[in-house]
Amino acid sequence: MDTVLQNLGSIPCPHGDRCTESGCLFQHSWNKKPAAPASAKHDGPDADDNPRKRRKLSTEPTQSTPPTAAESSQPNPEPVTAKKPVSPPPLGRKPTVVSVQSAPSEAPATPATKPAAVSSPANPTPEKSAEKKVPIRKAQASRKVETLNPRMLKGVAPATFEFRFKALTMLHEQFVRLNKEMEKAAGKDAETKKLILTPQELIWLSLDLEEKIAMDKPSIYNNVIKNRIMGYKKMTPKQWKAERLAEIKKEEERKAAATQASSKKQALLGPPKEINTGLTRQEEIAFLPHVLTSITELAQHGYVPKPPSEEEIKKAREGVEAAMGWETCDRCTKRFQVFPGRREEDGALTSGGPCTYHWGRLIYPERNPTSTVQQERTYRCCKQLAGDSTGCTSCSTHVFTVKSPARLATIVPFMETPENPSVPKDRAVCFDCEMCYTVNGLELVRLTAVNWPDGKELLDILIRPMGEILDLNSRFSGVWPEDLINAEPWKPVAPLSPVIDTDSSPKPPSTTNNPPEPDQRKKMQIVPSLAVARDLLFSLISPATPLIGHGLENDLNAMRICHPTLIDTVLLFPHKKALPYRHGLKMLMEWNLNKAIQVEPDGDSADGTTGQGGKLLGHDSAEDARAAGDLVRFKIQHTWARMKREGWTLKDGEFVPPKDSKGKKSGGEKLTEVRKTRDGTEEGELVEV
């Protein structure tokens, strides 16, 4: 046993000279045996390949010749062995690393400095060495470093590990050969030098190609990978250069498509479709009863046609007390506890620590008709496969949502829209709400109401939440902390009514393609509570005023309002699978009107890229409200065209139904008609026939 332990002294320590272990059995530079006298063989170029004996510094006590006064007055030249470690590092102390490259004139004798990293033989041609050290192409810093080892695949591998490793090695050898030949043929051509790959990029390229073949064509993997290897063996540097140029162009096109600005994405969609209903403003408002959406039988989908009863509210309050603040996170689905008013011990608002989650939804990739492999879902935010990671975004606290109307009423009771004689009868209002996460769940933080159909602003305010804020949800709400800080108290400086043009135009302007400039953020006004914001909205509407929006159950529940006259674009353009499936507002605008909304100025928010200045702007509630109004006008255009074909006429601002064979006007019966539009989508509408 002693012999074995003694043999460890001839093995270099894995930690090198940075070892801080007391009594380490391995070999270190300070406990080596005295070397033989220096001979001619140590003076050659191979002297740096093996460890050599360190010269003693001038500060050691065994110095034979002390410096004279003349020598001490002159600056000391840099010692040759000063870059070597001169003594073992002190125990229990973290070694410090000194960068020799950043200060070439200084060479402190640092114990933690590696000998191999700082000592190098004199180079007679420094210009050549400097040229070799400069990398021609920088490796991608966003990807992790990988080795030449086949990646793990989900499901059954198409071949054995030995075959995959051998094929991957042969593929990598051909890539290295072609890369070297292209580098040799490049000469002074700067454009060709940009195509040369680093060793790590060659490994990534080999791994990506092998994985793609294994995933896309597993049944014929062996033949495909052999053919690709043979193809690269026969490939010339000129062909390799053309392939690299094609790959770079394809990658640039992919990145450009993923980071399209609003104007660029508009170009991809094509020119916006003009909405021409053929009706004046007053006639369009008179047509709205033909496209109203009823919610009386949609309580199971979140709509609240009437306020909860006192008994339901009492049961909900008892349930909240029994839960003792325990909730389920709306993002990561973990259980955590909420402490309204903060916990006494540490002032925390929630338990469970930080929350890691994916803010994007799971989507299926584009289906390849030639592939038999089942496509796996990926997250829209980070493109990761479902189950690969717990999340790509982190938040300091967990958050939750309250969906029960009775529990919502325990915080702020619901109210039905009161009568308001001062509201014009020919008014319709588009509105949209933005919410943030608090200790009470989702609370209203911004309210925007615009006149329909011209889109003129009626009301746009911030609301101070009742509970402590957990997360402003700025990515979607568009409300940032500085907005709340810089907001001014709301003051009624003018009556809440739009400026209506005297000239009635059958084509009211649309503003959904003009998002606000990020550097010119609007100065917002804030109200102290939800009740004040609700009263302001009640001053604009009456029970007969049509409220237009997208997903109105969320907005009305946040406002605690029960309104009888609604036009919800979710119900106006239903999903083919019916509720709870629905189309998003952004998708409806792209499909029907070729308009891009909810797009960051310098990046698409769908894939997580930031906007101008590296900061997301979030959704704009005014833009969303006007977009819902445009969709309603688009619906009126097609519905009125169909009704005219059926014999409906317009007389003195009233829509007259056609007469039947007996000369009587047909009408009074409500039918739900489902038809397919030109683009193949199904639409359901409630009309008078």
Side-chain angles (χ1 to χ4, degrees):
M1 187 64 181
D2 295 336
T3 306
V4 175
L5 295 177
Q6 290 176 2
N7 291 337
L8 294 177
S10 61
I11 301 175
C13 181
H15 298 286
D17 292 344
R18 292 177 297 177
C19 179
T20 58
E21 184 69 21
S22 177
C24 182
L25 299 177
F26 292 94
Q27 185 186 51
H28 304 84
S29 60
W30 55 82
N31 58 11
K32 291 181 182 177
K33 295 180 179 180
S39 59
K41 66 179 181 179
H42 295 299
D43 299 329
D46 297 333
D48 287 336
D49 295 341
N50 299 319
R52 60 183 181 181
K53 184 178 179 181
R54 293 175 285 105
R55 292 185 183 180
K56 295 181 180 180
L57 297 179
S58 58
T59 56
E60 293 187 6
T62 56
Q63 187 175 0
S64 58
T65 57
T68 63
E71 292 176 349
S72 60
S73 62
Q74 298 178 357
N76 293 330
E78 181 181 355
V80 178
T81 58
K83 299 178 182 178
K84 295 278 186 176
V86 297
S87 61
L91 298 178
R93 181 180 177 183
K94 294 184 179 179
T96 57
V97 180
V98 178
S99 177
V100 180
Q101 296 179 356
S102 60
S105 61
E106 299 177 3
T110 309
T113 308
K114 293 184 179 180
V118 296
S119 63
S120 58
N123 194 351
T125 57
E127 294 181 358
K128 270 189 179 180
S129 63
E131 183 180 352
K132 290 182 180 179
K133 290 181 180 179
V134 176
I136 299 176
R137 180 187 176 92
K138 291 184 179 180
Q140 302 177 21
S142 59
R143 299 185 64 174
K144 67 177 183 179
V145 178
E146 295 183 82
T147 59
L148 200 64
N149 197 32
R151 292 171 179 164
M152 182 180 295
L153 305 176
K154 288 195 173 184
V156 181
T160 61
F161 176 83
E162 290 76 11
F163 182 85
R164 290 185 62 198
F165 180 77
K166 185 177 181 180
L168 180 63
T169 305
M170 297 175 68
L171 196 65
H172 180 259
E173 290 174 355
Q174 297 306 316
F175 288 161
V176 172
R177 176 187 65 83
L178 292 169
N179 194 59
K180 287 182 178 179
E181 291 179 358
M182 185 174 65
E183 183 179 4
K184 187 184 298 183
K188 297 182 180 180
D189 189 3
E191 296 296 329
T192 305
K193 286 184 177 181
K194 293 180 181 179
L195 304 178
I196 298 173
L197 302 177
T198 62
Q200 183 59 58
E201 286 178 328
L202 291 171
I203 294 177
W204 283 334
L205 184 63
S206 307
L207 293 173
D208 292 342
L209 181 58
E210 193 274 337
E211 183 184 29
K212 186 176 184 302
I213 297 175
M215 293 293 294
D216 294 347
K217 300 177 180 180
S219 58
I220 53 175
Y221 167 80
N222 293 358
N223 294 334
V224 174
I225 195 71
K226 290 177 182 178
N227 292 337
R228 295 300 292 269
I229 294 172
M230 292 301 300
Y232 284 116
K233 281 185 177 180
K234 300 176 182 179
M235 186 175 289
T236 62
K238 186 177 180 180
Q239 294 173 336
W240 172 254
K241 178 181 177 181
E243 181 174 315
R244 295 306 312 146
L245 287 172
E247 287 293 331
I248 292 176
K249 184 179 179 181
K250 186 177 179 181
E251 182 68 15
E252 290 177 352
E253 291 176 353
R254 186 192 66 81
K255 290 182 179 180
T259 57
Q260 286 292 342
S262 179
S263 58
K264 295 180 182 179
K265 187 165 186 178
Q266 187 63 56
L268 294 176
L269 295 173
K273 295 181 182 179
E274 293 186 1
I275 305 175
N276 185 8
T277 61
L279 304 173
T280 64
R281 175 185 176 277
Q282 300 296 332
E283 291 169 350
E284 287 183 356
I285 295 176
F287 192 87
L288 287 179
H290 296 274
V291 292
L292 293 178
T293 53
S294 175
I295 63 169
T296 53
E297 298 180 358
L298 299 179
Q300 69 273 21
H301 298 297
Y303 294 89
V304 184
K306 62 179 182 179
S309 62
E310 291 295 334
E311 184 179 355
E312 293 174 338
I313 298 175
K314 182 180 178 181
K315 290 183 179 179
R317 186 175 288 109
E318 293 174 354
V320 172
E321 294 175 357
M324 300 178 63
W326 285 96
E327 304 289 348
T328 301
C329 183
D330 194 32
R331 292 168 170 171
C332 65
T333 68
K334 291 183 179 179
R335 294 280 292 171
F336 70 103
Q337 194 173 11
V338 184
F339 308 106
R342 299 187 179 275
R343 187 165 52 185
E344 295 182 359
E345 296 82 20
D346 52 3
L349 291 173
T350 61
S351 64
C355 175
T356 304
Y357 64 99
H358 293 280
W359 60 263
R361 296 181 179 178
L362 282 170
I363 57 174
Y364 283 98
E366 294 184 4
R367 185 177 179 183
N368 186 1
T370 62
S371 176
T372 59
V373 180
Q374 183 179 0
Q375 298 290 334
E376 297 191 31
R377 295 185 299 172
T378 58
Y379 286 99
R380 185 186 296 273
C381 49
C382 59
K383 311 302 180 186
Q384 293 185 10
L385 293 176
D388 279 3
S389 69
T390 57
C392 60
T393 309
S394 181
C395 181
S396 58
T397 62
H398 297 279
V399 296
F400 69 101
T401 305
V402 177
K403 297 182 179 180
S404 170
R407 183 176 173 185
L408 290 173
T410 61
I411 304 170
V412 178
F414 279 81
M415 283 186 63
E416 295 181 342
T417 306
E419 294 290 342
N420 190 354
S422 63
V423 175
K425 294 183 179 180
D426 60 345
R427 171 180 288 179
V429 176
C430 304
F431 88 111
D432 185 67
C433 297
E434 301 295 345
M435 280 74 77
C436 68
Y437 289 103
T438 71
V439 293
N440 296 327
L442 273 178
E443 285 196 53
L444 185 69
V445 72
R446 183 179 178 183
L447 168 64
T448 304
V450 298
N451 195 60
W452 186 89
D454 51 26
K456 295 184 181 297
E457 182 180 302
L458 293 173
L459 184 66
D460 191 10
I461 56 173
L462 297 176
I463 299 93
R464 196 175 302 280
M466 295 179 59
E468 294 88 347
I469 296 176
L470 300 178
D471 187 4
L472 279 175
N473 202 25
S474 301
R475 181 184 295 276
F476 299 103
S477 67
V479 179
W480 298 86
E482 53 267 26
D483 295 330
L484 294 175
I485 295 172
N486 300 326
E488 299 177 352
W490 182 83
K491 296 179 181 179
V493 294
L496 297 176
S497 60
V499 179
I500 301 175
D501 297 335
T502 56
D503 183 16
S504 298
S505 173
K507 299 178 182 179
S510 173
T511 57
T512 53
N513 278 338
N514 301 318
E517 294 294 333
D519 296 335
Q520 302 176 355
R521 292 188 64 84
K522 180 180 178 181
K523 188 79 172 181
M524 300 291 295
Q525 292 184 335
I526 191 169
V527 295
S529 66
L530 171 62
V532 177
R534 183 169 58 183
D535 290 340
L536 290 176
L537 183 61
F538 281 160
S539 67
L540 298 172
I541 63 175
S542 67
T545 304
L547 274 182
I548 301 171
H550 183 82
L552 286 178
E553 80 280 8
N554 299 316
D555 301 332
L556 292 174
N557 292 350
M559 293 285 298
R560 309 295 198 273
I561 292 177
C562 296
H563 192 76
T565 312
L566 300 175
I567 301 178
D568 194 341
T569 52
V570 167
L571 305 177
L572 210 58
F573 299 87
H575 195 278
K576 62 181 181 180
K577 295 183 179 180
L579 292 175
Y581 297 98
R582 59 180 64 193
H583 295 300
L585 181 62
K586 180 177 181 178
M587 187 178 297
L588 289 176
M589 289 295 291
E590 292 179 359
W591 284 356
N592 297 307
L593 298 177
N594 283 358
K595 292 183 180 180
I597 64 170
Q598 301 174 0
V599 177
E600 298 298 328
D602 288 339
D604 191 350
S605 60
D607 59 0
T609 55
T610 57
Q612 190 169 5
K615 178 178 180 181
L616 279 168
L617 299 180
H619 293 184
D620 184 5
S621 55
E623 180 188 42
D624 294 349
R626 294 186 177 101
D630 287 347
L631 287 173
V632 173
R633 295 191 65 242
F634 175 78
K635 184 69 175 180
I636 290 176
Q637 173 183 336
H638 288 272
T639 305
W640 173 232
R642 177 183 56 79
M643 291 173 64
K644 286 192 294 184
R645 292 193 299 267
E646 296 174 355
W648 285 72
T649 57
L650 178 62
K651 293 182 180 180
D652 299 330
E654 295 183 359
F655 296 91
V656 182
K659 296 181 179 180
D660 57 12
S661 58
K662 297 181 180 180
K664 296 182 180 180
K665 294 181 180 180
S666 60
E669 183 182 0
K670 293 183 179 180
L671 297 177
T672 301
E673 180 186 74
V674 179
R675 62 186 180 87
K676 289 191 175 181
T677 59
R678 293 181 180 179
D679 58 2
T681 59
E682 295 182 351
E683 298 180 3
E685 57 187 5
L686 193 62
V687 297
E688 295 279 352
V689 296

